[in-house]
Short mmCIF file of all heavy atoms in Angstrom, two decimals:
data_model
loop_
_atom_site.label_atom_id
_atom_site.label_comp_id
_atom_site.label_asym_id
_atom_site.label_seq_id
_atom_site.Cartn_x
_atom_site.Cartn_y
_atom_site.Cartn_z
N ARG A 2 83.72 206.84 18.51
CA ARG A 2 84.08 207.03 17.12
C ARG A 2 85.56 207.41 17.01
O ARG A 2 86.23 207.68 18.02
CB ARG A 2 83.21 208.12 16.50
CG ARG A 2 81.73 207.75 16.43
CD ARG A 2 80.92 208.92 15.90
NE ARG A 2 81.05 210.09 16.79
CZ ARG A 2 80.56 211.29 16.51
NH1 ARG A 2 79.91 211.48 15.36
NH2 ARG A 2 80.72 212.28 17.35
N THR A 3 86.06 207.48 15.77
CA THR A 3 87.48 207.72 15.55
C THR A 3 87.91 209.08 16.12
O THR A 3 88.95 209.20 16.78
CB THR A 3 87.80 207.67 14.05
OG1 THR A 3 87.40 206.38 13.55
CG2 THR A 3 89.29 207.85 13.80
N VAL A 4 87.12 210.12 15.89
CA VAL A 4 87.48 211.46 16.37
C VAL A 4 87.54 211.47 17.89
O VAL A 4 88.45 212.06 18.50
CB VAL A 4 86.48 212.49 15.85
CG1 VAL A 4 86.77 213.87 16.42
CG2 VAL A 4 86.50 212.53 14.33
N GLU A 5 86.60 210.83 18.55
CA GLU A 5 86.58 210.81 20.01
C GLU A 5 87.76 210.02 20.56
O GLU A 5 88.29 210.35 21.64
CB GLU A 5 85.26 210.23 20.50
CG GLU A 5 84.06 211.11 20.18
CD GLU A 5 82.75 210.50 20.63
OE1 GLU A 5 82.46 209.36 20.22
OE2 GLU A 5 82.02 211.16 21.39
N ILE A 6 88.18 208.98 19.84
CA ILE A 6 89.36 208.22 20.28
C ILE A 6 90.60 209.11 20.27
O ILE A 6 91.43 209.08 21.19
CB ILE A 6 89.57 206.99 19.37
CG1 ILE A 6 88.41 206.00 19.51
CG2 ILE A 6 90.88 206.28 19.70
CD1 ILE A 6 88.44 204.85 18.53
N VAL A 7 90.70 209.93 19.22
CA VAL A 7 91.84 210.86 19.14
C VAL A 7 91.80 211.85 20.31
O VAL A 7 92.83 212.14 20.94
CB VAL A 7 91.83 211.60 17.79
CG1 VAL A 7 92.92 212.68 17.76
CG2 VAL A 7 92.03 210.61 16.65
N TRP A 8 90.63 212.36 20.65
CA TRP A 8 90.51 213.28 21.77
C TRP A 8 90.86 212.62 23.10
O TRP A 8 91.45 213.25 24.00
CB TRP A 8 89.11 213.87 21.84
CG TRP A 8 88.88 214.99 20.87
CD1 TRP A 8 88.08 215.00 19.79
CD2 TRP A 8 89.51 216.27 20.92
NE1 TRP A 8 88.15 216.20 19.12
CE2 TRP A 8 89.02 217.02 19.80
CE3 TRP A 8 90.44 216.89 21.78
CZ2 TRP A 8 89.42 218.32 19.55
CZ3 TRP A 8 90.83 218.20 21.51
CH2 TRP A 8 90.33 218.89 20.41
N VAL A 9 90.52 211.34 23.27
CA VAL A 9 90.92 210.61 24.48
C VAL A 9 92.43 210.52 24.57
O VAL A 9 93.05 210.70 25.64
CB VAL A 9 90.28 209.21 24.51
CG1 VAL A 9 90.84 208.37 25.65
CG2 VAL A 9 88.77 209.32 24.66
N GLY A 10 93.10 210.24 23.43
CA GLY A 10 94.55 210.19 23.41
C GLY A 10 95.18 211.53 23.74
O GLY A 10 96.16 211.60 24.52
N VAL A 11 94.63 212.62 23.17
CA VAL A 11 95.15 213.96 23.45
C VAL A 11 94.95 214.30 24.93
O VAL A 11 95.86 214.84 25.59
CB VAL A 11 94.47 215.00 22.54
CG1 VAL A 11 94.84 216.42 22.96
CG2 VAL A 11 94.84 214.75 21.08
N ALA A 12 93.75 213.98 25.45
CA ALA A 12 93.48 214.28 26.87
C ALA A 12 94.41 213.49 27.79
O ALA A 12 94.91 214.02 28.80
CB ALA A 12 92.02 213.95 27.18
N SER A 13 94.69 212.24 27.46
CA SER A 13 95.60 211.43 28.29
C SER A 13 97.00 212.01 28.28
O SER A 13 97.67 212.14 29.33
CB SER A 13 95.62 209.99 27.78
OG SER A 13 94.34 209.41 27.85
N SER A 14 97.49 212.38 27.08
CA SER A 14 98.84 212.93 26.99
C SER A 14 98.94 214.27 27.71
O SER A 14 99.92 214.53 28.44
CB SER A 14 99.23 213.08 25.52
OG SER A 14 100.52 213.61 25.38
N MET A 15 97.95 215.16 27.52
CA MET A 15 97.99 216.48 28.16
C MET A 15 97.86 216.34 29.68
O MET A 15 98.50 217.10 30.44
CB MET A 15 96.86 217.35 27.61
CG MET A 15 97.01 217.70 26.13
SD MET A 15 98.57 218.59 25.80
CE MET A 15 98.30 220.09 26.73
N THR A 16 97.03 215.39 30.14
CA THR A 16 96.89 215.20 31.59
C THR A 16 98.21 214.78 32.20
O THR A 16 98.63 215.27 33.27
CB THR A 16 95.81 214.15 31.87
OG1 THR A 16 94.57 214.58 31.31
CG2 THR A 16 95.64 213.94 33.38
N HIS A 17 98.91 213.85 31.55
CA HIS A 17 100.20 213.42 32.06
C HIS A 17 101.20 214.56 32.04
O HIS A 17 102.00 214.75 32.98
CB HIS A 17 100.72 212.23 31.24
CG HIS A 17 102.05 211.74 31.73
ND1 HIS A 17 103.24 212.05 31.08
CD2 HIS A 17 102.40 210.98 32.82
CE1 HIS A 17 104.25 211.48 31.73
NE2 HIS A 17 103.77 210.83 32.79
N LEU A 18 101.21 215.36 30.97
CA LEU A 18 102.12 216.48 30.85
C LEU A 18 101.88 217.49 31.97
O LEU A 18 102.83 217.94 32.65
CB LEU A 18 101.95 217.14 29.48
CG LEU A 18 102.79 218.40 29.22
CD1 LEU A 18 104.28 218.07 29.24
CD2 LEU A 18 102.41 219.04 27.88
N MET A 19 100.63 217.88 32.19
CA MET A 19 100.31 218.85 33.23
C MET A 19 100.61 218.29 34.62
O MET A 19 101.08 219.00 35.51
CB MET A 19 98.83 219.24 33.14
CG MET A 19 98.47 219.94 31.85
SD MET A 19 99.40 221.49 31.59
CE MET A 19 98.82 222.44 32.98
N LEU A 20 100.38 216.97 34.81
CA LEU A 20 100.64 216.36 36.10
C LEU A 20 102.13 216.39 36.43
O LEU A 20 102.53 216.75 37.55
CB LEU A 20 100.12 214.92 36.09
CG LEU A 20 99.97 214.22 37.44
CD1 LEU A 20 98.90 214.94 38.28
CD2 LEU A 20 99.59 212.76 37.24
N VAL A 21 102.96 216.03 35.46
CA VAL A 21 104.41 216.01 35.68
C VAL A 21 104.93 217.43 35.94
O VAL A 21 105.71 217.68 36.88
CB VAL A 21 105.13 215.37 34.49
CG1 VAL A 21 106.64 215.53 34.63
CG2 VAL A 21 104.75 213.90 34.40
N LEU A 22 104.50 218.40 35.13
CA LEU A 22 104.98 219.78 35.30
C LEU A 22 104.49 220.37 36.62
O LEU A 22 105.21 221.13 37.29
CB LEU A 22 104.52 220.63 34.11
CG LEU A 22 105.14 220.28 32.75
CD1 LEU A 22 104.56 221.17 31.67
CD2 LEU A 22 106.66 220.45 32.81
N ALA A 23 103.23 220.07 36.99
CA ALA A 23 102.67 220.66 38.21
C ALA A 23 103.46 220.22 39.44
O ALA A 23 103.76 221.04 40.32
CB ALA A 23 101.21 220.27 38.35
N PHE A 24 103.81 218.94 39.54
CA PHE A 24 104.53 218.47 40.72
C PHE A 24 106.02 218.77 40.63
O PHE A 24 106.67 219.09 41.64
CB PHE A 24 104.31 216.96 40.90
CG PHE A 24 102.97 216.62 41.47
CD1 PHE A 24 101.98 216.06 40.68
CD2 PHE A 24 102.68 216.88 42.81
CE1 PHE A 24 100.74 215.76 41.20
CE2 PHE A 24 101.43 216.57 43.34
CZ PHE A 24 100.46 216.02 42.53
N THR A 25 106.58 218.67 39.44
CA THR A 25 108.03 218.88 39.30
C THR A 25 108.40 220.33 39.55
O THR A 25 109.41 220.64 40.20
CB THR A 25 108.50 218.43 37.91
OG1 THR A 25 108.14 217.06 37.72
CG2 THR A 25 110.01 218.59 37.78
N LEU A 26 107.60 221.25 39.03
CA LEU A 26 107.90 222.68 39.15
C LEU A 26 107.30 223.30 40.40
O LEU A 26 107.41 224.51 40.60
CB LEU A 26 107.39 223.41 37.90
CG LEU A 26 108.00 222.94 36.57
CD1 LEU A 26 107.42 223.73 35.40
CD2 LEU A 26 109.53 223.10 36.60
N GLY A 27 106.62 222.51 41.21
CA GLY A 27 106.10 223.02 42.47
C GLY A 27 104.77 223.72 42.35
O GLY A 27 104.37 224.43 43.27
#
């Protein structure tokens, strides 16, 4: 549904953000 699509987008963006910060900042 539309709400779940939005949550998939938020989860994808947050996963990428945490992944970049986790490796970049050690």
Side-chain angles (χ1 to χ4, degrees):
R2 296 176 299 173
T3 302
V4 176
E5 293 178 305
I6 295 173
V7 174
W8 280 112
V9 172
V11 171
S13 299
S14 180
M15 294 301 296
T16 301
H17 180 258
L18 177 63
M19 297 300 297
L20 195 65
V21 172
L22 293 178
F24 283 107
T25 303
L26 300 180

